[in-house]
Amino acid sequence: MVSNEDALSFLEKNSVYANRWLSAHPDWRDWLGERIHTPVDTNQIDQLLLPISQDLDNGALDEAALMSQLRLSRQQLMLWIGCRDLNGIASLLEVTQSLSYFAEQVVGLTVRYVRADLQARFGLPWARTEDYELPFLIVGMGKLGGRELNLSSDIDLIFLYEEEGETQHGANSISNHEWFTKLGRRLIKIISEHDAYGFVFRVDMRLRPNGDSGPLVCSLEMLEEYLFVQGREWERYAWIKGRMIYPPISHPDYVRCERGLEQIIRPFVYRRHLDYGVIAAIRELHAQIQREADKRSNQRSGRSRDIKLGRGGIREIEFLAQMFQLMRGGTDPRLRIRPTLEVLDRLQEGGLMSAEEIEALKSAYVFLRRLEHRIQIWEDQQTHYLPEHDDARTQVAQAMAGPNQKGNLDEFMGALANHQNQVARYFEKAFALDESTRLQIDANDATWQPNATTFPRTNERWSVWQESSRAKSLPEKSRLTIRGLLKKAAHDIEADHPDDADQTLLRFFDLLEAICRRSAYLSILAENSNALQKVLMLLNASQWAAQYLARHPHLLDDLLSANAQSELIHDPESYWRKVKVNLDLRLDDALADGASPDHAMDILRVTHHTETFLILLADLGIGAPKGLTVERVSDRLSALADLILQATYERVWPAVAEKFNLDPEHQPPFAVIAYGKLGGKELGYASDLDLVFLYDASPTDYAAQEIYSVLGKRMINWLTTLTAAGTLFEIDTRLRPNGAAGFLVTSLDSFRRYQLREGDNAAWVWEHQAISRARFAAGDPRVGAQFEEIRKEVLAHERNQSDLKHEIIEMRHKVHAGHPNASDDFDLKHDPGGMVDIEFIVQYLVLAYARQYPDLLGNLGNIALLGIAAKHQLISEMDAIEIGNAYRMFRAQQHRLRLDGAEKIRVSIHEHPDFAKAKASVTKLWETVFGAPSQPI
């Protein structure tokens, strides 16, 4: 630990400013020495400013005295923070947050003083329709808004008030606008004007509406109109950091004022969709800032010496972080934060940048901010330039090294160059500054056509489209981009996907038509060659995938961020937990303050589309070493469906509870039971969901049926309604007791009596077949556990095997009649020897023998249950292996055909002898088990 004397000595060696003030106030040396090893926090700053606050309370200060005391407090704080920073005792966070907090408190003290003075002369601004004073709203922008002030920052402020009107309770009355303007001008003077003790903060008001030409203060209504009529892209960027610093959190009006401001700023800054247009906008803003920096650097060694605005400087790190915020903050609430280092952490958590990239950016940011402070503390100047001469640079290198260390100029300059180069590299990558990775558009290439030999259908369609009214109505830039993308795709397809080249390019043209009016989506493909390559791989691999992407083009974004795929493939449980946490954040944000559920329903749909698409990419091996098996694909699609059902249950219940005056925080005893494909975890990409709703209530609770019927109906509405974002699922509830004629929701007791045939109203055998692959999917796990006990009791019920066989054969014949096949091809699912036969065999073995062999009760899947049946010698081990392999092969082929867009799941037996052999094995086992064919004779 550095001694007090060494710390003070190091401060004086590296700061002319500190020398000057310590010489003028020798008593400050002891004051500072006592505090060198005390962290500067909110309590310490409050103590520093306490005498001023007390004098204000007592009316003991005039304006000149207030200005002097604020300035002296500022100089003391600067020495204290500067000494701790230079000596490596304070963290960057301590420095920036303490300076920001001090600025907020100074603003608050000044408002208190000026308000009291204006009140005596003009009264106070008053609400027109309510009986309360209107407070002055002050927004801190830039580094103050982000709590990132440096040692010689100016502060960017915007002055606002809630509404127009007149002051009341004073000797004279003026407009609210005049009153707040007077307050704002006095505040600026008190804080920024130079006197014998210097200044407190320079104040910059240029970020207000219309800048220097606009009024000093404006109402919230004026701000809203300005932003949504005239607001420019750079103002969205600026308002990311905007934070209301007055009134403070402790003020009774804070919540109302903060909410009013938030309702204006959030939709202006953050779009509800992914906003890729921001990349080009910030790229242009960055270029403009660099041009200005070049002008200022003409008399210096070069712009690279500007550590803020130069290549690889602080501003590039901030721009990079804020690009992701503007692009994704509308769909991801986690990114709606202000401090740069925290944003970088969120980018890593979200898989938007790698841990290596984030660590390099954070390291560079801390290095550059520390360097910035050492340059500024020398003379208390707002500068970001390294000194020109080596002697001065050596001094800076020593200041960076710290006390009792030897600063080396070459090592320091090498470290600086390394950080700047890394920042520049990541910045250029994020903003596609390397033109070789971006689409090169040639405006003179108007005669290009797809090769008629390789792409005959695309060539014909392109010729027709160019002359269409839709094409001619597009902006010229969009037309040029579409032609450039199609040309690039044709070239790449000929090289990489020569088989079905015309079909692949046609699918790409379908996608371009779907997004032709969405410049942001065109930008994704034009700005990123990697995204284009992945799109072409996807379109070549699957017709269904091509159609899905054309319906949901927002999924193009997920081609750029495939980092999540690794966890989805290798650690799905952890992956789905993170998806649920993020989904909950977004849904809570959408439903805040009693908002309409429409946006929340869209969020559910976009999440489902996104996760389905990521599973699809993993399935096809795009962005992954190899594709997933069909079983693993279905596991993940089923887990996603469960997650969506649970999120829907959790968000629908509070409104139902409110309707019936129940506690929305109390989890209702209600469960969603999955049957069919979801129940067996064999869900496909476009499968509907077979659901049954159960609840637990006493027979005397007559309101329960109505309450849980409303919950079930609203859940179905959330899951099936077509919104702007599309649909989620088709829901089938006909497997409930008594089917479509029965109640939508069923009590556990009624469900048990129905399934166990206790009474006149009893379940059919086919319903017991169905329950063999049913499971709890969402809702209250306690109700789910009770359902599982009922399920096992039903399956283990004693049955007459002869009657059971007869009933299952009859049901199989009905299924066959409902799916006739007049072709010579083999229907993998419904024909004799297909998947339905295998499923019915397994269901018979469970219903006939589960009482005797309880390990058959588990919902383990058909292949595992065949193995258990063989273990108990109900079938041969060879049959279990052969039929299990057949089922696996049929499912895999079904999956491939679905991805290729096939309507019927059929194959030619003559062309696929392995399927003929598998069909024969299944047919043989069916006849062995049932003693009769599965098809009516």
Side-chain angles (χ1 to χ4, degrees):
M1 181 185 294
V2 64
S3 69
N4 289 356
E5 199 55 45
D6 286 346
L8 287 169
S9 174
F10 195 69
L11 170 66
E12 290 174 312
K13 286 179 183 176
N14 291 282
S15 174
V16 174
Y17 158 78
N19 264 309
R20 184 167 60 248
W21 278 100
L22 289 174
S23 297
H25 296 271
D27 54 312
W28 285 7
R29 288 185 64 86
D30 292 337
W31 179 89
L32 185 56
E34 294 170 359
R35 290 166 173 76
I36 286 173
H37 294 286
T38 301
V40 185
D41 58 21
T42 57
N43 290 331
Q44 296 294 332
I45 293 171
D46 288 342
Q47 286 299 311
L48 182 67
L49 293 172
L50 183 60
I52 302 177
S53 180
Q54 291 173 336
D55 285 347
L56 284 176
D57 290 339
N58 298 328
L61 287 177
D62 60 15
E63 188 166 304
L66 173 64
M67 292 174 65
S68 297
Q69 287 199 31
L70 288 175
R71 280 151 182 74
L72 289 171
S73 296
R74 185 261 187 190
Q75 311 307 348
Q76 286 184 298
L77 183 73
M78 284 283 288
L79 294 176
W80 187 3
I81 294 174
C83 187
R84 285 179 56 77
D85 182 35
L86 271 170
N87 284 278
I89 306 170
S91 66
L92 176 63
L93 204 62
E94 178 186 323
V95 174
T96 56
Q97 290 196 345
S98 57
L99 285 166
S100 302
Y101 181 77
F102 178 77
E104 293 173 36
Q105 299 312 300
V106 165
V107 167
L109 290 170
T110 306
V111 170
R112 276 173 59 189
Y113 173 80
V114 179
R115 174 188 172 279
D117 182 57
L118 291 176
Q119 180 182 10
R121 296 157 57 200
F122 305 108
L124 295 170
W126 218 256
R128 286 174 295 184
T129 57
E130 302 287 340
D131 188 29
Y132 59 80
E133 176 192 350
L134 296 177
F136 196 28
L137 275 59
I138 304 177
V139 179
M141 304 289 282
K143 284 187 165 55
L144 176 57
R147 295 188 173 94
E148 297 169 323
L149 284 184
N150 57 45
L151 282 174
S152 191
S153 282
D154 52 9
I155 55 174
D156 296 289
L157 301 178
I158 292 178
F159 296 154
L160 304 168
Y161 57 97
E162 290 179 276
E163 61 183 60
E164 303 294 353
E166 304 289 325
T167 62
Q168 296 183 21
H169 312 300
N172 297 294
S173 179
I174 60 175
S175 71
N176 290 348
H177 183 270
E178 290 177 274
W179 195 95
F180 286 118
T181 300
K182 291 177 183 293
L183 196 159
R185 285 175 178 158
R186 294 271 299 279
L187 186 149
I188 293 170
K189 172 180 180 290
I190 290 171
I191 291 177
S192 65
E193 191 172 275
H194 283 253
D195 68 10
Y197 301 109
F199 60 94
V200 190
F201 289 102
R202 306 173 196 87
V203 177
D204 191 334
M205 299 294 299
R206 290 176 296 174
L207 293 178
R208 70 186 187 268
N210 293 307
D212 286 338
S213 62
L216 185 67
V217 300
C218 67
S219 67
L220 290 181
E221 182 180 359
M222 177 189 167
L223 174 69
E224 183 173 26
E225 181 179 354
Y226 170 81
L227 291 179
F228 286 93
V229 175
Q230 302 180 52
R232 290 154 289 182
E233 206 69 31
W234 70 262
E235 287 175 294
R236 288 180 62 203
Y237 159 82
W239 271 100
I240 286 178
K241 297 278 192 184
R243 177 173 60 89
M244 193 175 76
I245 64 169
Y246 192 88
I249 293 177
S250 59
H251 195 284
D253 294 328
Y254 174 83
V255 173
R256 185 190 74 248
C257 296
E258 201 274 338
R259 183 180 295 140
L261 182 62
E262 176 81 358
Q263 288 172 349
I264 296 170
I265 299 306
R266 181 187 293 183
F268 172 67
V269 175
Y270 298 112
R271 307 297 193 237
R272 281 191 172 184
H273 53 78
L274 288 164
D275 187 4
Y276 270 88
V278 78
I279 296 179
I282 293 186
R283 191 163 56 214
E284 174 54 35
L285 178 59
H286 175 258
Q288 181 181 338
I289 289 173
Q290 287 198 333
R291 287 193 293 271
E292 292 297 318
D294 282 338
K295 291 179 184 177
R296 289 195 295 269
S297 300
N298 284 340
Q299 305 303 316
R300 299 176 182 267
S301 299
R303 184 170 49 81
S304 64
R305 301 303 176 233
D306 185 337
I307 64 168
K308 179 180 179 180
L309 302 180
R311 178 181 178 274
I314 295 168
R315 183 55 54 84
E316 289 193 354
I317 302 173
E318 293 171 339
F319 269 1
L320 194 152
Q322 288 167 317
M323 179 267 286
F324 282 106
Q325 289 183 279
L326 285 178
M327 187 193 305
R328 298 172 180 276
T331 61
D332 188 348
R334 294 173 300 176
L335 291 174
R336 297 178 204 156
I337 54 178
R338 298 176 182 89
T340 301
L341 290 175
E342 289 184 29
V343 177
L344 293 175
D345 285 335
R346 296 290 196 282
L347 298 182
Q348 181 179 335
E349 290 168 12
L352 299 172
M353 295 187 75
S354 71
E356 178 186 2
E357 290 171 328
I358 294 299
E359 184 55 39
L361 289 171
K362 289 172 66 177
S363 177
Y365 183 80
V366 172
F367 180 92
L368 292 170
R369 290 300 306 271
R370 290 182 67 244
L371 176 57
E372 175 185 53
H373 292 162
R374 278 144 185 77
I375 295 171
Q376 292 175 348
I377 195 68
W378 179 255
E379 191 55 275
D380 190 21
Q381 290 183 337
Q382 176 74 339
T383 180
H384 303 92
Y385 283 97
L386 273 180
E388 293 290 333
H389 304 294
D390 282 350
D391 287 348
R393 288 185 177 180
T394 300
Q395 177 86 31
V396 173
Q398 180 60 60
M400 288 291 285
N404 306 320
Q405 301 292 325
K406 179 67 175 174
N408 183 286
L409 178 59
D410 291 338
E411 290 178 5
F412 161 68
M413 293 301 292
L416 174 60
N418 181 59
H419 284 303
Q420 288 178 320
N421 288 335
Q422 282 193 305
V423 171
R425 183 166 67 251
Y426 295 138
F427 183 85
E428 289 162 8
K429 175 184 173 183
F431 287 89
L433 296 182
D434 180 358
E435 294 193 358
S436 66
T437 67
R438 285 152 56 191
L439 181 69
Q440 302 303 304
I441 297 175
D442 185 356
N444 298 316
D445 201 9
T447 60
W448 177 84
Q449 291 279 125
N451 184 299
T453 303
T454 309
F455 307 105
R457 289 178 295 167
T458 311
N459 179 279
E460 180 180 348
R461 187 164 155 199
W462 172 247
S463 298
V464 172
W465 189 79
Q466 282 186 295
E467 298 303 317
S468 68
S469 58
R470 187 179 191 192
K472 290 179 178 179
S473 67
L474 293 175
E476 182 182 9
K477 182 180 179 182
S478 294
R479 292 199 304 272
L480 292 172
T481 301
I482 289 169
R483 185 172 65 215
L485 285 168
L486 199 67
K487 180 180 179 181
K488 179 73 166 63
H491 176 271
D492 292 349
I493 289 169
E494 276 195 282
D496 301 329
H497 310 287
D499 297 335
D500 298 323
D502 194 25
Q503 182 64 60
T504 303
L505 192 59
L506 269 176
R507 291 172 181 174
F508 184 62
F509 196 25
D510 287 338
L511 176 62
L512 290 178
E513 278 205 273
I515 65 174
C516 65
R517 298 186 186 279
R518 306 289 291 274
S519 59
Y521 296 142
L522 291 173
S523 295
I524 295 176
L525 296 173
E527 299 277 359
N528 195 299
S529 59
N530 184 41
L532 178 59
Q533 291 305 312
K534 286 185 175 181
V535 165
L536 296 179
M537 289 175 64
L538 182 78
L539 301 183
N540 181 254
S542 168
Q543 169 71 15
W544 186 87
Q547 294 170 342
Y548 195 73
L549 184 58
R551 284 199 308 273
H552 309 296
H554 65 86
L555 298 171
L556 284 167
D557 169 69
D558 296 290
L559 291 167
L560 300 178
S561 53
N563 295 341
Q565 276 184 261
S566 176
E567 190 171 17
L568 171 63
I569 293 168
H570 300 295
D571 190 1
E573 287 189 11
S574 171
Y575 178 80
W576 293 123
R577 279 196 300 272
K578 293 176 182 177
V579 171
K580 181 63 163 60
V581 168
N582 186 33
L583 176 59
D584 285 342
L585 280 172
R586 295 174 63 191
L587 290 172
D588 290 344
D589 179 67
L591 293 170
D593 301 322
S596 162
D598 295 355
H599 184 35
M601 290 166 69
D602 283 343
I603 288 170
L604 279 176
R605 283 149 180 75
V606 170
T607 298
H608 185 260
H609 299 156
T610 298
E611 299 305 327
T612 299
F613 189 64
L614 290 174
I615 295 168
L616 178 61
L617 293 178
D619 180 8
L620 298 174
I622 296 173
K626 62 178 182 179
L628 294 174
T629 63
V630 64
E631 291 87 357
R632 297 181 75 194
V633 169
S634 291
D635 283 346
R636 284 150 182 78
L637 288 171
S638 300
L640 173 59
D642 289 355
L643 185 151
I644 295 294
L645 288 170
Q646 182 66 28
T648 303
Y649 158 81
E650 292 169 356
R651 293 315 181 289
V652 169
W653 169 246
V656 176
E658 183 178 350
K659 176 181 174 69
F660 292 98
N661 296 315
L662 300 173
D663 181 4
E665 299 297 322
H666 178 71
Q667 184 180 50
F670 179 91
V672 181
I673 307 301
Y675 277 67
K677 289 186 181 300
L678 179 58
K681 294 189 177 181
E682 294 183 353
L683 208 63
Y685 288 112
S687 298
D688 59 4
L689 305 187
D690 294 298
L691 304 179
V692 169
F693 300 128
L694 301 179
Y695 67 90
D696 185 19
S698 71
T700 58
D701 186 354
Y702 302 113
Q705 179 73 42
E706 181 185 3
I707 293 168
Y708 297 121
S709 290
V710 172
L711 177 56
K713 287 175 184 176
R714 290 195 181 180
M715 284 188 67
I716 292 172
N717 181 61
W718 271 53
L719 293 165
T720 60
T721 298
L722 176 63
T723 74
T727 59
L728 274 172
F729 303 107
E730 291 293 325
I731 303 295
D732 191 337
T733 61
R734 290 175 297 173
L735 288 175
R736 67 187 187 267
N738 296 307
F743 291 116
L744 178 64
V745 299
T746 308
S747 72
L748 281 169
D749 183 60
S750 297
F751 182 79
R752 180 184 178 280
R753 286 187 285 107
Y754 176 83
Q755 292 292 345
L756 292 174
R757 301 178 174 179
E758 295 177 354
D760 297 334
N761 188 24
W764 297 85
V765 168
W766 67 263
E767 292 178 277
H768 290 173
Q769 289 178 250
I771 206 173
S772 70
R773 52 191 282 156
R775 64 180 179 83
F776 168 73
D780 184 345
R782 294 168 297 182
V783 181
Q786 290 174 275
F787 160 77
E788 182 59 22
E789 291 304 312
I790 295 172
R791 175 186 167 277
K792 289 178 178 178
E793 187 178 0
V794 170
L795 296 179
H797 201 64
E798 189 170 0
R799 293 174 174 87
N800 180 293
Q801 292 189 12
S802 177
D803 292 345
L804 180 63
K805 286 181 182 178
H806 175 75
E807 295 248 22
I808 291 179
I809 290 170
E810 285 294 309
M811 178 52 64
R812 180 66 184 97
H813 289 176
K814 289 180 181 179
V815 172
H816 185 273
H819 297 86
N821 179 12
S823 73
D824 294 331
D825 291 339
F826 172 45
D827 189 306
L828 295 169
K829 183 172 183 179
H830 295 109
D831 276 359
M835 285 190 286
V836 172
D837 277 7
I838 298 172
E839 290 167 357
F840 274 40
I841 289 169
V842 171
Q843 289 162 9
Y844 167 76
L845 293 171
V846 170
L847 293 174
Y849 295 103
R851 184 178 184 85
Q852 186 177 352
Y853 304 113
D855 48 351
L856 285 168
L857 290 171
N859 187 351
L860 306 173
N862 291 307
I863 295 173
L865 290 169
L866 286 167
I868 294 171
K871 182 180 74 171
H872 296 301
Q873 300 182 341
L874 304 177
I875 61 175
S876 73
E877 190 173 330
M878 182 58 69
D879 281 340
I881 293 171
E882 287 184 356
I883 305 308
N885 288 339
Y887 191 71
R888 188 178 288 113
M889 182 170 67
F890 291 164
R891 281 196 65 203
Q893 183 65 16
Q894 178 191 45
H895 187 64
R896 284 192 292 270
L897 289 171
R898 291 287 191 211
L899 285 177
D900 286 339
E903 292 185 16
K904 301 291 185 180
I905 308 303
R906 295 173 181 173
V907 297
S908 170
I909 289 292
H910 305 297
E911 295 176 11
H912 297 89
D914 49 343
F915 285 93
K917 182 180 177 182
K919 176 185 177 185
S921 297
V922 175
T923 302
K924 178 184 174 185
L925 180 60
W926 175 279
E927 293 179 354
T928 300
V929 171
F930 290 101
S934 66
Q935 180 178 3
I937 298 173

